[in-house]
């Protein structure tokens, strides 16, 4: 089935080119790690850059690998433009950059090619599949921009200092920052790395940290420092919510504490943030910060979340974008000044809550490209050319049929350009994803 190619309003390549930023080559490495599951044998779990994933699908490594090493980089990379996008192979085989590429082409590589084939040829990323991090070809003038920090990439030069990037991503450091955030209490561990082998001390520390959750008045939010896919945020509105949150946190605190070691103790990877729950409307701002610190808002979206606060997508009204940009201009300027002072430039997202008195508070920073970003690059495609002034992105969708079946079922919508797929990966049997 042949569809019209999508022409983006602009690309990350265009944005990185502003303020003479492309003095060096920037390669995008958008794979996402899991805190508990080693997704492929050549990519070890990170020890320095600790993440939490309390509701991870530990029983399905293949699903996690295809979601986090294939679908996520496709979604993020769909707005890259003509930049190098490094993606990791899921199954064993020889690297595409070696002398003998995999043959036949694995289905996940074909899935990625099919996704990017929807884009105008001049705007499709230059995808390089590798098996090992060491396979990434680099040179002195090249830096990598990552969405999620991984120890195995530390041999490569990053656009942003990895330690500074981790701090910007951390909910603990956000609560400590000069930005306007909800009133927060930080519960840091009192343990030192050498004490983590003492099971008695570990149990006592879990009980001490959990006591703050047990005693805090309702309503409030509990946040783990840096969770995958927003899994570490617990909205505690009722005693039933508290009971459910305590059940998960009690189970997860020990693994989190055991992530503490001499290489990361200064990054505060083992803490809890207890925060006031602000009633009001939350929006997700997608931004790009130029090297000179100039903020560019590419979209303002309303989030799609379940009752527990788990992110499931975003909604955009193209007609509202100008007024929303004016509404959040002050917060955007303060935020740009803050992240630029830490050495950051590139795409990022921020969640802002406006309370009943119109005060804006930053409730989360995603210092990376986000799932909402593509919506802001598709205004001409959806709104200007097709009169579709509202659009949504949904993620993740686990579908028990193939992409061919999906495109056939919605052939009219795909042909009209009202639906596009910006991330897809079949499972090993090629039956669904």
């Amino acid at each position: 089935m042949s569809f019209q190619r999508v022409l983006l309003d602009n690309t990350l390549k265009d944005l990185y080119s502003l303020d003479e930023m492309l003095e060096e080559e920037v390669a995008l490495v958008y794979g996402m790690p899991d805190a508990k599951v080693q997704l492929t044998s050549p990519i070890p779990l990170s020890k320095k850059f600790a993440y939490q994933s309390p509701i991870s699908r530990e029983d399905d490594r293949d699903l996690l690998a295809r979601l986090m090493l294939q679908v996520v980089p496709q979604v993020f990379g769909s707005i890259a433009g003509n930049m190098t996008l490094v993606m990791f192979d899921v199954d064993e085989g020889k690297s595409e950059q070696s002398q003998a590429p995999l043959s036949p082409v694995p289905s996940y590589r074909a899935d990625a090619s099919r996704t990017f084939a929807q884009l105008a040829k001049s705007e499709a990323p230059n995808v390089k599949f590798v098996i090992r991090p060491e396979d990434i070809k680099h040179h002195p003038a090249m830096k990598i921009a990552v969405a999620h920090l991984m120890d195995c990439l530390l041999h490569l030069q990053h656009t942003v200092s990895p330690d500074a990037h981790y701090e910007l991503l951390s909910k603990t450091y956000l609560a400590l920052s000069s930005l306007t955030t909800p009133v927060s209490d930080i519960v840091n561990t009192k343990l030192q790395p050498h004490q983590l082998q003492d099971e008695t001390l570990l149990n006592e520390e879990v009980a001490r940290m959990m006591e703050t959750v047990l005693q805090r008045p309702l309503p409030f939010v509990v946040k783990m420092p840096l969770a995958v896919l927003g899994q570490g945020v617990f909205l505690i509105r009722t005693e039933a919510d508290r009971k459910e949150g305590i059940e998960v946190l009690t189970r997860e605190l020990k693994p989190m504490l055991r992530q503490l070691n001499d290489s990361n103790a200064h990054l505060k990877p083992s803490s809890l943030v207890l925060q006031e729950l602000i009633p009001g409307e939350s929006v997700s701002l997608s931004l790009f910060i130029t090297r000179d610190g100039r903020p560019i808002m590419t979209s303002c979206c309303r989030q799609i979340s379940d009752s527990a606060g788990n992110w499931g997508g975003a909604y955009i009204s193209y007609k509202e974008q100008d007024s929303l940009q004016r509404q959040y201009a002050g917060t955007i300027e303060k935020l740009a000044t803050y992240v630029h002072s830490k050495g950051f430039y590139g795409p990022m997202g921020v969640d802002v809550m406006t309370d009943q008195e119109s005060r804006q508070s930053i409730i989360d920073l995603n210092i990376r490209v986000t799932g909402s970003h593509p919506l802001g690059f598709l205004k001409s495609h959806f709104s200007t050319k097709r009169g579709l002034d509202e659009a949504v992105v949904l993620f993740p969708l686990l579908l028990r049929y193939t992409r061919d079946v999906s495109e056939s079922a919605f052939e009219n919508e795909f042909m009209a350009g009202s639906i596009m797929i910006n991330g897809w990966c079949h499972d090993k049997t090629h039956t669904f994803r």
Side-chain angles (χ1 to χ4, degrees), residues 14 34 129 151:
D14 298 329
D34 187 80
F129 277 96
D151 292 7

Side-chain angles (χ1 to χ4, degrees), residues 1-6 118 381-382 386 388 401 404-421:
M1 194 178 298
S2 179
F3 307 131
Q4 293 182 8
R5 290 183 181 267
V6 175
Q118 299 171 109
H381 176 80
F382 284 129
R386 292 168 175 81
L388 303 172
Y401 46 81
D404 285 339
V405 171
S406 173
E407 292 181 350
S408 177
F410 296 96
E411 179 178 1
N412 292 337
E413 289 81 3
F414 279 107
M415 294 299 293
S418 60
I419 293 180
M420 65 176 295
I421 294 171

Side-chain angles (χ1 to χ4, degrees), residues 13-59:
K13 174 68 176 290
D14 298 329
L15 296 173
Y16 271 112
S17 299
L18 298 173
D19 294 351
E20 299 181 353
M21 282 202 294
L22 281 185
E23 297 172 0
E24 71 278 325
E25 178 188 350
V26 176
L28 309 175
V29 186
Y30 283 163
M32 180 185 293
D34 187 80
K36 301 176 181 179
V37 179
Q38 185 172 344
L39 300 179
T40 70
S41 55
I43 304 178
L45 291 172
S46 289
K47 294 183 178 180
K48 177 177 181 178
F49 298 120
Y51 287 82
Q52 298 82 45
S53 49
I55 55 174
S56 175
R57 291 285 299 271
E58 297 179 63
D59 59 333

Side-chain angles (χ1 to χ4, degrees), residues 198-318:
D198 188 321
E199 196 69 20
T200 299
L201 286 177
L202 203 56
N203 288 333
E204 290 175 351
E205 182 66 348
V206 169
R208 182 190 71 83
M209 296 178 74
M210 288 306 305
E211 186 66 19
T212 62
V213 181
L214 283 164
Q215 299 301 325
R216 190 175 181 94
L218 299 172
F220 62 100
V221 184
V222 182
K223 297 181 178 180
M224 303 180 86
L226 192 50
V228 175
L229 294 175
Q231 295 178 18
V233 177
F234 303 86
L235 305 181
I236 313 297
R237 300 184 184 93
T238 66
E239 289 300 334
D241 292 338
R242 192 197 305 264
K243 181 180 179 181
E244 184 176 343
I246 286 174
E247 182 179 342
V248 176
L249 286 166
T250 301
R251 182 182 71 236
E252 295 298 323
L253 274 187
K254 271 191 184 181
M256 184 184 76
L257 290 170
R258 287 193 172 112
Q259 290 178 313
L260 182 68
N261 57 64
D262 291 333
S263 72
N264 66 17
H266 64 292
L267 297 174
K268 305 182 187 301
S270 301
S271 58
L272 292 177
V273 178
L274 277 63
Q275 197 168 78
E276 66 173 325
L277 180 60
I278 300 176
E281 180 187 35
S282 170
V283 299
S284 177
L285 302 175
S286 296
L287 310 173
F288 189 94
I289 310 299
T290 70
R291 177 169 292 200
D292 289 347
R294 178 162 57 97
I296 298 170
M297 191 189 93
T298 58
S299 67
C300 177
C301 300
R302 289 169 174 83
Q303 300 187 78
I304 300 172
S305 303
D306 62 21
S307 59
N310 297 310
W311 192 81
Y315 154 85
I316 189 171
S317 169
Y318 291 112

Side-chain angles (χ1 to χ4, degrees), residues 147-164:
H148 297 82
L149 291 153
M150 292 188 280
D151 292 7
C152 60
L153 298 175
L154 283 175
H155 66 289
L156 299 168
Q157 188 176 11
H158 290 54
T159 55
V160 183
S161 159
D163 279 21

Side-chain angles (χ1 to χ4, degrees), residues 145-182:
V146 301
H148 297 82
L149 291 153
M150 292 188 280
D151 292 7
C152 60
L153 298 175
L154 283 175
H155 66 289
L156 299 168
Q157 188 176 11
H158 290 54
T159 55
V160 183
S161 159
D163 279 21
H165 195 174
Y166 187 89
E167 290 180 5
L168 286 169
L169 286 164
S170 167
K171 292 173 175 57
T172 303
Y173 277 90
L174 174 58
L176 292 169
S177 75
S178 59
L179 297 169
T180 301
T181 63

